[in-house]
Amino acid sequence: MNSDSTRQVFGGCYLAVGQAASTKALSTLLLSLCLSSYAATLSAAGSDLQRLKRFSLEDLAALEVSIVGKAPQKAVDIPAAVYVLTAAQIRNSGATNIPDLLRGVPGLHVAQMDANKWIVSSRGFSSRITNKLLVMIDGRSIYSPLFGGVVWDQQNLMLEDVERIEVVRGPGGTAWGSNAVNGVINIITKHTRDTQGGLMSSLVGSEKNIVSLRQGGKLAPDASYRLYAKRREHEESTFLDGSDATDEWSDTQVGFRLDWQPAKNKQLTLQGDVYRGSLSERITVPSLETATFTTLREDNIDVSGANLMAKWSQTSDSGASNELKVYFDHVERDQWVIDEQRDMFDVAYQYDGLMIGQHNFTFGAGYRYTRDKLSMGDLSIGQVRIFSPEKRSDHLFSGFVQDDIELQKDRWWLTLGSKVEHNQYTGTEFQPSMRLRWKSAEGQMLWGGVSKAIRTPSRAETDGLSLLDVLSAGPPPVALLLEGNDDLKVENLTAYELGFRYQAGATLIFDMAMFYLDYDNLISFESGGIVPVSIPSPISALSTTLTLANELEGASYGVEFTVLWSPRKDLHINASYSALTLDLSPKKSSLDTLSEKQEGLSPQHQFNFSSNYHLQENLSVNATARYVGELRDSNVDAYTELDASVQWMFDDALSISLVARNLLHSAHQEALPAVYPTAATKVEREFFIKLDWSF
């Protein structure tokens, strides 16, 4: 933890917090100030914390989400494996980042690799680069076009401002396009009318320290806003042998949101964020100067970015709605394996509610422009990262249409739809789907679906070349290179799903989903012979190359159960179980001997049990137990862990939480190391105290 002066950016202003104030010291100071000021703030109490105390199953069943077909639909009526994390669940979880929040979602595998890296995957293919899961924040994609997947250390949302997280396990390509293969996650933030007044949140813990500030208000009777700033610092983790991993990190993010409703049926939203972070990791990289052909380096990673989004929506008297969304995203990341600068511009239009007889149409169109610059590494020290071309601009055009047909009133519905996209990697692609749902009785629904989804090749997979290892010192030396392929096709998925959902009033919701997923043209690693090195180099060398190709196929199948039970108003229980089997095989023409090992990177069995019990109106106890099966091809053992927290709400203005995570073990391993690892790290037991003060 550095001792430099920490500055918090808030609404464009810098709040100096002292020449020697780390986040931990600042957090402690804010905790003391809040407690000592409590008596003076009772009359200024807000209602934000009070609203978050509970969220009933009736509220959840009536909640309208739009993650499946983009058109709003009650959660219990959606013909897909959908799960919604509410603001109450987010608050009760004790989680301090998005990946930890997602641990409770059935069918998702979440694993912490070290202090600043996570795996989040849906229905298999778990890795640092989980490229078959599309993730969005308020509809803004945070999926990386460089390598596919999400860089979770760059996502520093103020969790107190998250309204809900909508998750779909299974394909979502018809609505959201390419890369929504095994799942879609949309993180939705609160409307500014629900974040009026001030909020100060301070967390001090054994592993991390976080300070968040937010101020909301009104610019006019029909326009409200909020400004926020968040700073977090995380201690380094430890290797399995107990030594320090040198992977500490810190970042700061500031942002705003403005909501304006000039008329009852019109809404304008403008929001944006700016962030900067610094991370460290110790990595082992190829070298010709040591007996093991490797050398140890401490990599200092710098990340920064900014985004701005505007949404305009309008609803007619008949209930039909249309929305125009435009956003700009800028990302910079500098580390050993990449030096990236990227700009993305996206515009999308959607119309929902065109009724023709028994048909309810939703349709839309979009355009995305991406421009990047990827700097070459320093070849003299073995930093081989070459992209050809170094700069690239890409265009993506898309359109979709969906028809929800009521076959029998209040009983049978058929939903047909398709997405068409034109990209510069593989041309024009279609992603159709068909879903049927049947309400057999009040509170009971059976559904099934057949869908196609695709994943387009990433920039690194088509244009990249990197050094993985030195196989022999020679002379001449022999290097192992990973080479992209600009002839790659899309990865294809055909998904077959069947589900049943049952709701018994306000006390019980049962949800089951079964699936069979058929994959084709998956990426494989094809080995070539030893040839002269194909990169500029100060030395003469030979190389053996792994080239990417579409020579892998496979299938997965499984089942997911979820039970939400409220036996009494002050007790809420959530239990889930998921089973997964993944079977991959190279095609006859393939020489790949590596890709089948992906089968064992995801657990076959996972179980999660959580409870929230209100001992009193202002005092609640939360506990979460989770079991994650072994990762057999990673030599990571199965583990069971327990998290617990106590939340004490003095009133609507002040709340204190005491949280303990990973209580059953002092430390445990959850995943293999990332790219260029030194050794595996372990997740340690941690404790923290968190204070939320509304004013």
Side-chain angles (χ1 to χ4, degrees):
M1 193 94 40
N2 67 67
S3 60
D4 295 334
S5 175
T6 303
R7 293 180 177 268
Q8 300 294 340
V9 184
F10 191 74
C13 298
Y14 288 86
L15 304 180
V17 296
Q19 292 299 316
S22 67
T23 299
K24 185 172 184 178
L26 177 59
S27 298
T28 306
L29 175 62
L30 291 178
L31 280 169
S32 301
L33 288 175
C34 292
L35 288 172
S36 63
S37 302
Y38 168 66
T41 59
L42 292 178
S43 61
S47 60
D48 187 52
L49 296 178
Q50 182 68 27
R51 285 196 302 269
L52 291 177
K53 290 172 65 175
R54 299 178 186 176
F55 193 88
S56 71
L57 293 187
E58 288 180 305
D59 294 331
L60 180 60
L63 186 66
E64 288 194 336
V65 300
S66 55
I67 192 171
V68 177
K70 288 193 174 182
Q73 199 171 7
K74 288 185 178 180
V76 294
D77 292 337
I78 292 178
V82 64
Y83 190 90
V84 181
L85 280 168
T86 67
Q89 290 173 300
I90 292 170
R91 177 175 174 79
N92 293 336
S93 69
T96 58
N97 55 63
I98 297 296
D100 280 343
L101 276 176
L102 296 173
R103 289 182 185 272
V105 178
L108 293 190
H109 173 221
V110 178
Q112 187 169 346
M113 307 182 76
D114 60 23
N116 54 57
K117 300 180 189 65
W118 290 266
I119 293 171
V120 179
S121 66
S122 173
R123 295 179 174 176
F125 297 94
S126 295
S127 72
R128 171 74 173 95
I129 305 174
T130 303
N131 54 27
K132 296 175 178 59
L133 178 66
L134 180 66
V135 183
M136 301 171 290
I137 299 176
D138 289 322
R140 173 178 61 87
S141 174
I142 57 175
Y143 183 94
S144 169
L146 173 59
F147 57 84
V150 175
V151 184
W152 289 104
D153 60 61
Q154 293 179 192
Q155 316 309 321
N156 187 13
L157 286 176
M158 188 169 173
L159 298 187
E160 292 82 3
D161 290 343
V162 175
E163 176 67 31
R164 64 183 184 273
I165 301 177
E166 301 175 359
V167 182
V168 169
R169 293 103 60 201
T174 299
W176 301 104
S178 55
N179 309 319
V181 177
N182 281 8
V184 184
I185 298 174
N186 193 15
I187 304 164
I188 299 173
T189 60
K190 296 177 182 178
H191 194 285
T192 53
R193 64 170 172 259
D194 298 323
T195 55
Q196 294 293 287
L199 174 67
M200 180 166 57
S201 178
S202 178
L203 182 152
V204 178
S206 60
E207 297 296 321
K208 63 176 72 77
N209 305 286
I210 302 173
V211 175
S212 303
L213 300 171
R214 180 237 288 158
Q215 179 64 52
K218 287 185 175 294
L219 298 176
D222 54 8
S224 54
Y225 73 92
R226 72 166 168 262
L227 306 171
Y228 79 91
K230 181 179 179 181
R231 170 73 175 179
R232 59 181 178 177
E233 294 182 351
H234 202 293
E235 301 282 356
E236 61 188 355
S237 62
T238 60
F239 292 125
L240 298 183
D241 63 5
S243 60
D244 293 337
T246 319
D247 55 1
E248 67 272 12
W249 57 283
S250 61
D251 60 0
T252 302
Q253 179 164 311
V254 299
F256 78 98
R257 173 165 169 163
L258 170 68
D259 291 296
W260 177 42
Q261 191 171 7
K264 183 178 180 181
N265 62 341
K266 297 178 181 179
Q267 176 76 42
L268 172 67
T269 298
L270 183 66
Q271 61 190 98
D273 309 282
V274 179
Y275 63 89
R276 179 177 294 276
S278 176
L279 305 89
S280 297
E281 63 178 353
R282 191 182 300 176
I283 58 175
T284 302
V285 299
S287 172
L288 291 173
E289 300 176 355
T290 64
T292 59
F293 309 141
T294 61
T295 187
L296 195 64
R297 299 186 65 94
E298 183 173 336
D299 191 16
N300 295 314
I301 306 169
D302 294 318
V303 300
S304 61
N307 60 79
L308 182 66
M309 180 167 63
K311 288 192 291 186
W312 171 260
S313 59
Q314 184 171 345
T315 304
S316 67
D317 294 337
S318 63
S321 65
N322 58 82
E323 179 185 272
L324 178 65
K325 177 180 64 181
V326 180
Y327 70 80
F328 170 79
D329 208 340
H330 174 76
V331 173
E332 294 187 18
R333 190 177 184 93
D334 183 11
Q335 62 184 104
W336 178 267
V337 293
I338 57 171
D339 184 0
E340 175 191 23
Q341 298 181 44
R342 178 175 301 278
D343 294 315
M344 181 184 296
F345 172 78
D346 188 285
V347 56
Y349 172 78
Q350 175 185 316
Y351 187 92
D352 168 49
L354 177 60
M355 299 294 300
I356 303 177
Q358 303 303 310
H359 300 260
N360 185 356
F361 288 96
T362 302
F363 56 87
Y367 166 73
R368 179 176 297 169
Y369 170 74
T370 304
R371 177 183 63 191
D372 67 31
K373 178 182 178 182
L374 302 167
S375 300
M376 182 183 296
D378 186 349
L379 301 181
S380 66
I381 59 174
Q383 189 183 38
V384 180
R385 57 178 194 212
I386 298 176
F387 291 87
S388 180
E390 185 176 334
K391 299 179 181 179
R392 176 165 177 163
S393 297
D394 291 311
H395 305 268
L396 175 67
F397 300 88
S398 65
F400 83 97
V401 62
Q402 177 177 283
D403 183 10
D404 193 26
I405 310 165
E406 189 174 27
L407 302 176
Q408 182 182 0
K409 186 173 178 59
D410 297 330
R411 280 289 181 266
W412 287 90
W413 294 264
L414 175 65
T415 303
L416 304 173
S418 184
K419 184 93 169 186
V420 58
E421 290 184 335
H422 181 80
N423 67 80
Q424 291 182 248
Y425 291 91
T426 63
T428 302
E429 306 289 347
F430 293 88
Q431 299 181 75
S433 73
M434 176 180 68
R435 294 185 180 271
L436 183 68
R437 67 186 190 272
W438 172 45
K439 280 192 173 182
S440 58
E442 185 65 30
Q444 299 182 36
M445 188 182 77
L446 183 69
W447 63 269
V450 181
S451 309
K452 178 183 177 182
I454 65 165
R455 188 189 76 86
T456 56
S458 67
R459 172 85 147 95
E461 291 170 325
T462 58
D463 301 334
L465 179 68
S466 60
L467 174 64
L468 297 181
D469 201 359
V470 177
L471 302 180
S472 171
V478 180
L480 177 62
L481 301 177
L482 179 63
E483 185 176 34
N485 180 0
D486 58 9
D487 290 326
L488 287 176
K489 305 173 185 177
V490 296
E491 294 184 321
N492 285 305
L493 166 68
T494 302
Y496 306 89
E497 299 176 278
L498 182 66
F500 174 73
R501 191 172 292 126
Y502 172 70
Q503 180 186 357
T507 61
L508 178 69
I509 294 179
F510 171 80
D511 189 89
M512 179 193 71
M514 298 182 292
F515 59 90
Y516 179 84
L517 309 179
D518 186 13
Y519 299 93
D520 193 19
N521 290 337
L522 295 174
I523 296 295
S524 62
F525 300 90
E526 305 300 325
S527 60
I530 297 179
V531 298
V533 71
S534 57
I535 59 176
S537 175
I539 60 174
S540 174
L542 300 176
S543 70
T544 179
T545 304
L546 292 178
T547 303
L548 301 181
N550 298 103
E551 296 294 327
L552 187 69
E553 58 189 5
S556 68
Y557 56 90
V559 62
E560 298 153 353
F561 295 97
T562 304
V563 176
L564 305 176
W565 183 36
S566 294
R568 42 193 289 178
K569 290 184 178 181
D570 55 6
L571 178 61
H572 305 279
I573 295 173
N574 185 337
S576 64
Y577 168 76
S578 62
L580 169 72
T581 298
L582 179 62
D583 183 17
L584 301 176
S585 58
K587 298 179 180 179
K588 292 182 179 180
S589 57
S590 175
L591 300 175
D592 188 344
T593 61
L594 302 174
S595 296
E596 283 186 280
K597 293 185 177 180
Q598 294 182 68
E599 295 175 353
L601 298 181
S602 303
Q604 288 189 307
H605 303 279
Q606 292 189 93
F607 176 76
N608 188 284
F609 178 89
S610 63
S611 65
N612 171 244
Y613 179 49
H614 284 263
L615 297 171
Q616 300 176 10
E617 182 67 17
N618 63 343
L619 181 64
S620 65
V621 178
N622 309 282
T624 299
R626 62 183 184 276
Y627 168 82
V628 180
E630 67 171 341
L631 310 181
R632 64 180 188 275
D633 287 331
S634 302
N635 293 321
V636 176
D637 295 333
Y639 67 90
T640 302
E641 270 302 349
L642 174 67
D643 302 336
S645 66
V646 178
Q647 296 179 1
W648 181 21
M649 302 186 69
F650 290 88
D651 65 358
D652 290 347
L654 189 62
S655 171
I656 292 180
S657 301
L658 302 176
V659 181
R661 298 181 62 85
N662 305 312
L663 283 170
L664 300 186
H665 303 89
S666 60
H668 67 277
Q669 185 184 359
E670 295 187 351
L672 277 178
V675 180
Y676 297 129
T678 299
T681 62
K682 51 189 177 181
V683 180
E684 298 181 88
R685 180 184 295 144
E686 69 168 313
F687 303 90
F688 61 81
I689 179 172
K690 182 174 184 287
L691 181 144
D692 295 305
W693 177 32
S694 295
F695 54 91

